[in-house]
Amino acid sequence: MKATDVRAMTPDQIDDEVLKLKKEQFNLRFQRATGQLENTARVRAVRRDIARLKTIAAEKRTSASAKA
């Protein structure tokens, strides 16, 4: 997921996407623990996507509060 895509989202959409990625992260951790994980790079990608979403959400909140 690219930052430009995230910036086009509304805050509610960002929260939904974070929730979806958190569930995927849990499933990936579970697969790794049971030895069923095939794409180990996906763990890192999901973690970074969550961080990217949270960072941009925080930026949007601060800019919205600064305008008010």
Side-chain angles (χ1 to χ4, degrees):
M1 179 172 298
K2 295 189 177 193
T4 54
D5 299 336
V6 177
R7 290 187 196 284
M9 294 178 171
T10 65
D12 290 334
Q13 288 174 326
I14 292 174
D15 292 340
D16 290 342
E17 189 68 23
V18 168
L19 186 62
K20 186 183 90 170
L21 288 171
K22 286 276 193 177
K23 288 179 183 179
E24 183 180 354
Q25 184 183 33
F26 174 78
N27 289 331
L28 290 171
R29 282 197 331 254
F30 196 85
Q31 287 176 7
R32 182 172 41 183
T34 59
Q36 297 174 345
L37 184 61
E38 292 181 13
N39 185 3
T40 56
R42 184 69 185 143
V43 175
R44 183 177 184 183
V46 168
R47 202 171 67 231
R48 287 180 179 214
D49 284 345
I50 291 170
R52 186 175 297 117
L53 285 163
K54 285 185 171 185
T55 300
I56 293 173
E59 288 175 0
K60 285 187 175 203
R61 282 190 205 103
T62 57
S63 68
S65 65
K67 291 179 183 177

